[in-house]
Amino acid sequence: MSLNNSSNVFLDSVPSNTSRFQVNVINENHESSAAVADNTDPPHYEETSFGDEAQNRFRISFRPGNQEHYDNFLQHGESAKTDASFHAYDSHTNTYYLQTFGRNTVDAVPKIEYYRNTGSISGPKVSRPSLLEIHEQLAKNVAVAPGSADRVANRDGMPRGEQAENEGEEEKDGAVKFGWVKGVLVRCMLNIWGVMLFIRLSWIVGEAGIGGAYYLISRSLGPEFGGSIGLIFAFANAVAVAMYVVGFAETVVDLLKESDSMMVDPTNDIRIIGSITVVILLGISVAGMEWEAKAQVILLIILLIAIANFFIGTVIPSNSEKKSRGFFNYQASIFAENFGPSFTKGEGFFSVFAIFFPAATGILAGANISGDLEDPQDAIPRGTMLAIFITTVAYLGVAICVGACVVRDATGNMNDTSISGMNCNGSAACGLGYDFSRCRHEPCQYGLMNNFQVMSMVSGFGPLITAGIFSATLSSALASLVSAPKVFQALCKDNIYKALQFFAKGYGKNNEPLRGYMLTFVIAMAFILIAELNTIAPIISNFFLASYALINFSCFHASYAKSPGWRPAYGIYNMWVSLFGAVLCCAVMFVINWWAAVITYVIEFFLYIYVTYKKPDVNWGSSTQALSYVSALDNALELTTVEDHVKNFRPQCIVLTGGPMTRPALLDITYAFTKNSGLCICCEVFVGPRKLCVKEMNSGMAKKQAWLIKNKIKAFYAAVAADCFRDGVRSLLQASGLGRMKPNTLVIGYKRNWRKGPLTEIENYVGIIHDAFDFEIGVVIVRIGQGFDISQVLQVQDELEKLEQERLALEATLKDNECEEGSGGIRGLFKKAGKLNITKPTLKKESSINTIQSMHVGEFNQKLVEASTQFKKKQGKGTIDVWWLFDDGGLTLLIPYILTLRKKWKDCKLRIYVGGKVNRIEEEKIAMASLLSKFRIKFADIHIIGDTSVKPNKESWKVFEEMIEPYRLHESRKDLTTAEKLKRETPWKITDAELEAVKEKSYRQVRLNELLQEHSRAANLIVLSLPVARKGSISDWLYMAWLEILTKNLPPVLLVRGNHKNVLTFYS
C-alpha cells in the first residue's frame, strides 16, 4: 500500500479560527528524517536505546466551515456517518476492517455504534467483537505448545506475603479471685444497704408514705446488671464514694452534737471527718483486693446485726422518752396515717426518688470487679439477683416497720400529752395520748420527717445502729472506691480515650489500678467538700440513670441485632422490657432535673462523637457490629435482585499486591479509581506446602487488613493457599466477591524481571492474563520505572524498629530502677546494678544499634521508596494520555476519567489518542469528539493517528530483535530432525513460523512505542489499550516482549483491556 506524504494532502495548515481543542494527524514513513522538538523538556524515565526518530508530523486544523460543523456535532450529539459498505467483521474482503493498523484484525477501534441501544433512531447498534473472539485460539497455523506451571516463586508482579507472628498475653499467676458469695452477693448487699437504709429511709417513708416506698424500691431495684459502660459510670462511682463518706460523717457529727464536742460547725466538721475517712479507705483499697474483701465481710456481719437490732427494737415496749419522739411500737392507726404520701414544701415524688435512687446503684458492685471473679458468668447473675431479693425484702421490711411504729412529726417533749376529750382530727399520736399539733406551725426535731436517726431511737440498742450506719456507709464507700478505679482502668486499657492512658497501668499480682485510686480519691474529695448529702445524691442519680439507660438499651440492641453470640441465660428476658427500661430511665432523668439531664446527655453525645471520630482500635464483638453485619447482608441480598445496568458500572478490582504494604504504589493507583465507587480486594497467593501456607496466611490476615484500615484505604484483603501461583489467582478470580459485588477487573504489576525469572514464573504470569480473559474479567497491567515490590525495604525497617524498641526499653528500665529505690547509698547502687545485670556486653549491644542503623540506611533504595509513594502525592498540572486504540467497552476511557475526579489528579487533563483511516481523518476526528461529548467526558485534545502500519525505526526494531533473541528457536536454520527435537525439548521458545505470522503485530508494538515516546513522554500517566495474545498463537515470551517494547522508557503506564461489554453509555 502506497502512502502520499505530501503536505498538500491536508488543507489549511494554519487554522482560521481557534478551536477548543487541537487534532494531531500523524502520517509517517520510517525513512523520513525530519523531527520536531517539543517546547518542554520531558522527564527522563529510563535511558532509551532508541536513536533519533525520522518522522514527519503534520498539525492540521479545520477546513473552512468545519469549525461550525464540529460545534454543531457537539451541541446536537450527532455522529459522523460511516461507509455503508463497512461491517464490523469485514476482515476478508479488499476493504480492510481497520486499515490503520495495516492488517486484517478482529480487534475493533472505538466507535459510537457499539454504544447505541437496540432500535436507536440515531442509527443502528453494532456489536463489537467479544473478548472470546479475539482471545480464543484459531485454526492452528503455528504450532506453539504452552508449557505447564507447577509452582512459582514470587517476584516483581508476583505477590508474596509476609510472615506474621501472633503474640499471646499470659495471665499473671497468683491473682486473687473471688466466688459469687464474697465477690458479688456480699458486695451488692453492702452497697444496697448503704447510707439510705439507716439515715434516709425513715425520712423517705415520712415523705412518700409506706406505699410510695414500695414503688420507689420496686422501680429502683430492677434486673439491670452488667459490666462497665464507660466514663460516666466510672465518674458516678467516684462521686458515690463522696456520698457514702458524707453519710458517715453526718452520723459522726450527730454524735458529736449529742456530746457537745463539735470541732468547728456541722458543715466543716463533715468536711474534716469525711476527708480523714476517705484517706483511711484509700489506704485499705491500696493494700489490695484481698484486704478489702476481708473488710467487707466484717462490715457485712456488723450490718446484719444492726438490722436485726432494729427489728428487735420495734417489738420492745416504748418508754415515755421514745413516745415523745414519735415511737409507739406497732400501731394500726400509725400505719394507716403513714401509708399515703405527705410531701413537705419543695418536695415531690421524683425529688424523693432522686435522693433514694443511689441505694439501688449497688446492684453493679459485683459486676464492676468482674475481672477479679473466678467465674463471672455464673457469679454475677446468681449473686446479684440474690442480693436484690434479700435487700428488697429488707428495705420493704424496714419501711413497713418504721412506718407502722413512728409518726411523721414529734416534739420530743414528754409533757406534750393530749387532754381527755380532745378532738384529734385523725391524728394517730393524739389517739395514743400525745399532742404534736404545734409541729404544724413550727419546726420539730423528731419524727420520720425531721429526725434522720429514727432507726437508732427505735432499735433495741442504739450504738449497734450507729455501728450499722458506720458499716453501711464505709462498706459502700469502700466498694465504690474499688469499683471506680477498676472501671477507669478498663477504659484506659481499651485505649478509647488517649488522654486517660496514664491510668491504665496496674501494679502487683492483682494488677491494682493505683493511679486510678488516686484519680477517684481526687474526685471524691472534691464532692466531700460540698458536705450536703441531699445535694450529692441527685447528681449521682442522674449519672447512674444514664448508665442504666445505656445498659438496658445495650441489651435491647444486642437482641435486635440477632447476633448468635447474644444468648441471655435469664429465663424470662424480653428485649422489649429492656427497651422500656431504657426509655423509662431517660424519662425519669428529665423529671428529676431536666437541666442536669440535658447536661448529662450533652456530655454523653460529646463522648460518643469523640470515640466515633477517633475510631479506637478495639474489638468487643458489639451489637453495633452485629447490626452492621445484618444490614450489610440484607443490602447485599437486595442487590442481587437488581439487574446490572451499564449506568451503574464501576471498576471492582482484584489487585495482586501480595501483602498490601509490600506494593503500595500498585494499591494506590488502583484505589485512586475505586475509592468510594468500586470494590477493591488486595489479594495474595501463598505457594508451598498447604499446612505451612495456611498457618502463615491465617496469622497475617488480621494484620494486613488492619494496615489497610490504618492507612484509610477502603479495601479488603484476601488470601489463598495453592500449589502454584496461577491456580491461586484462578481461585480468586472465580470465588472472590459476594453477589453483585464481584470483581470485574484484575490489576497486576508489570513483571520487570521477566527476562531473568524462571520459565514457570513467565508461564504463570501470562497464564493469569489468559485466565482473566477466559472468565470475562478485564485486565489492567501497571508499569512504573522502579517496580512495585518494597518488601526488602520493609524488612530492613522492621529490623531497625525492633532495635530501636530494644534501646528504648533498656533506657526505660534503667530510668525506672534509678528512681525506684531512692537514695540507698553505695550499697543501694550495687544492689540496683545486680538487679539489672548491667555488664559490658549489654553496653556493647546498645552501642551497636547506631552502627547497624547507619549501615542499613545506606542500603535503602531511595528511588524505590520514592516510587512507592508517587501516587500518594498530588499530581501537578499535566496530562493523562489515553491511547484508546481498541474498543473494549470503554474501560480504557472510564478509568482515566475517574482519576480526573480525584483531588490528586484533578489538575491533569485528558488527551485522547485514537486510530483512524488515512482517508477519513476529519470524519474520525468529529466522530470521536461527538462520542466523548455524548459520554460527557471532558478532554483537552484529541489526537488522530493516521497510520501505524509502516515499519518502525530500524534501530527500534533491532532492540526488539535483540530482546527476543535468547528465546528464539531458529528452527529454520537447522535440519528437520534437530528442529523437531528442539520443539519437544523447549516448546516455550519463539519459532520462526510464529514470529513471521505475527510480524506485523510486532511491528505495531514497536511503532506504538515510538509514537508514545514522541507524544506522551511528558505525560503524568499513560493509559493504553492492552494487546491481547490469542491463545495457541502467541507464545508467552513473545507476548512479554510485546509488553516490554510497548511500555519501555515511558512514564507510569496502565495497560487496560475491558471485557468488551459496555461500561459507558450516553443514554440517561
Side-chain angles (χ1 to χ4, degrees), residues 13 15 230 272 300 315 417 589 849 868 1007:
S13 60
I272 294 169
L300 178 62
V315 297
T417 57
M589 285 177 65
I849 293 174
S868 69
R1007 184 71 189 117

Side-chain angles (χ1 to χ4, degrees), residues 3 71 264 478 721 888 956 1000:
L3 297 175
D71 290 338
V264 184
L478 195 59
D888 58 351
S956 303
E1000 294 296 333

